[in-house]
Amino acid sequence: MLTNFFSKTNPVNALVLGILFCSLFFTSLFTKEAFFFSGTMVLKNAGYLLSNLLFLFLSGTALYRSKLDNGTVYASFILILFYGLFPSAFQSVTPLLLLLLWTLMYLRILDLGLVMTPDRILFDAGLCVGLSFLFFKGALLLILWLLLALLVFKKANLRNSLICLVGFSVPVWFFFVYCFFVENPILFHNLFVFESGFDLCFYKSKVYAIPLLVCFSLNTLAVFAVLPKVLSRNTSFRRHYLLLVFMFFIGLGMVFLTSEKNGSELSFLFLPSSVLIATFVDKSSKKWVKELLLFGLAAFSVLWLLL
């Protein structure tokens, strides 16, 4: 049932996914013990809702352009279900801002295989990394992801790497000028002071341990089942799939580098994880396996949100 319904991209599916996300959002909102109505609270949550919907739209656009979804909306459906497993991602400022910048960067990178001189693409991507770095120091890992993208799309050379670094340095330079004019050099110095965030004790509670175990198990199964077939074919799909695998590990690194963990940082893994699992679902030749995974994950997400 779910397999057939989400096997094609159409306006009805988009509407259903939008309703599903809003249902999960408001369920999470109204089940909070500290929730209360006020003008400020309504505006604040409206901003969260619209920002998350924008992220979902940009993610869907990126998947459609990369052809990784193969004309389905499995990935978008699974991405939304992740919000039910980790509801703290609904209301997060810095992670959500980073997700929007990362997705915009991803959209630009998708054009690497379509142009001969990717100067503007690489500059824009580096600019997104620089802006992200101003808000979260762990975003420096995105430079590594950008360089890996150059390798994947066979655009790696010294010139292109320098263009990425120039784009990265522009917002950092403007921030330095701002600190100079307000006579606060310590603020700029603190930008390069990195704090350790490798303490994972926060995730030992069953609130996070169980859904994390489920997600990592599904990702491991998906990668080991699909990756050998992908590597055996020299196609554009292989390049885009490898880019998402690298995105997963970069997102994992950003989770580790988050100094103050509250669960919202796990949203860095939402997009790559949803694509990896959705690809496994799409490539599976047995319909009952597809139905079991989609139904099981949907039921688990809703029940976990309500508990």
Side-chain angles (χ1 to χ4, degrees):
M1 183 180 177
L2 285 178
T3 304
N4 292 333
F5 184 77
F6 291 118
S7 61
K8 295 181 181 179
T9 303
N10 57 57
V12 176
N13 287 344
L15 179 61
V16 170
L17 290 174
I19 293 174
L20 173 62
F21 177 80
C22 291
S23 299
L24 293 176
F25 179 86
F26 287 112
T27 300
S28 172
L29 184 65
F30 294 135
T31 52
K32 282 188 174 182
E33 296 180 2
F35 177 77
F36 61 92
F37 280 100
S38 69
T40 303
M41 185 64 69
V42 170
L43 290 176
K44 183 178 179 180
N45 284 289
Y48 285 136
L49 177 61
L50 293 175
S51 298
N52 278 292
L53 287 173
L54 177 60
F55 166 62
L56 292 176
F57 173 77
L58 293 175
S59 300
T61 303
L63 295 178
Y64 177 79
R65 288 181 55 191
S66 66
K67 306 299 182 184
L68 280 173
D69 59 359
N70 197 26
T72 70
V73 288
Y74 295 147
S76 297
F77 177 60
I78 294 172
L79 194 158
I80 291 172
L81 295 180
F82 282 151
Y83 279 94
L85 299 178
F86 308 103
S88 54
F90 280 122
Q91 298 171 310
S92 59
V93 179
T94 302
L96 184 53
L97 178 61
L98 292 172
L99 283 176
L100 291 173
L101 288 170
W102 197 0
T103 312
L104 289 172
M105 176 184 170
Y106 181 34
L107 283 167
R108 290 299 285 152
I109 287 176
L110 290 177
D111 293 329
L112 279 178
L114 305 176
V115 297
M116 294 297 295
T117 54
D119 296 6
R120 292 185 60 182
I121 295 173
L122 297 177
F123 180 84
D124 292 344
L127 188 69
C128 288
V129 178
L131 289 171
S132 301
F133 178 64
L134 296 181
F135 296 98
F136 175 57
K137 297 163 187 173
L140 196 63
L141 287 176
L142 294 178
I143 282 287
L144 176 59
W145 186 64
L146 184 52
L147 296 177
L148 288 171
L150 291 176
L151 290 173
V152 168
F153 287 97
K154 299 180 180 179
K155 302 285 185 181
N157 56 53
L158 180 59
R159 181 176 182 275
N160 288 342
S161 300
L162 289 176
I163 292 174
C164 297
L165 294 177
V166 169
F168 168 80
S169 66
V170 169
V172 177
W173 167 253
F174 276 106
F175 183 69
F176 169 76
V177 172
Y178 166 77
C179 294
F180 177 78
F181 276 105
V182 298
E183 298 181 353
N184 190 359
I186 300 299
L187 187 61
F188 182 76
H189 173 266
N190 290 340
L191 185 64
F192 298 92
V193 177
F194 292 86
E195 299 177 3
S196 174
F198 286 94
D199 185 7
L200 302 179
C201 294
F202 176 79
Y203 302 123
K204 290 183 178 180
S205 65
K206 68 176 183 179
V207 176
Y208 292 102
I210 295 176
L212 278 173
L213 178 62
V214 171
C215 291
F216 276 101
S217 298
L218 289 175
N219 274 291
T220 303
L221 173 64
V223 171
F224 277 98
V226 177
L227 189 59
K229 298 178 183 178
V230 172
L231 292 178
S232 65
R233 301 175 182 177
N234 187 16
T235 62
S236 61
F237 183 88
R238 183 177 76 169
R239 292 193 291 271
H240 292 298
Y241 187 84
L242 288 175
L243 193 61
L244 262 295
V245 172
F246 293 143
M247 179 187 281
F248 176 83
F249 286 107
I250 294 298
L252 196 61
M254 290 170 65
V255 170
F256 286 145
L257 291 176
T258 302
S259 56
E260 297 181 4
K261 296 178 173 59
N262 58 15
S264 63
E265 66 280 353
L266 294 171
S267 59
F268 297 144
L269 302 173
F270 282 8
L271 179 57
S273 294
S274 63
V275 176
L276 296 177
I277 297 172
T279 304
F280 171 68
V281 172
D282 184 52
K283 298 296 182 183
S284 178
S285 58
K286 298 179 180 180
K287 188 174 180 179
W288 68 268
V289 174
K290 299 181 180 183
E291 293 286 358
L292 179 63
L293 280 174
L294 293 180
F295 266 114
L297 192 57
F300 181 52
S301 175
V302 174
L303 291 174
W304 196 256
L305 181 61
L306 295 174
L307 291 177

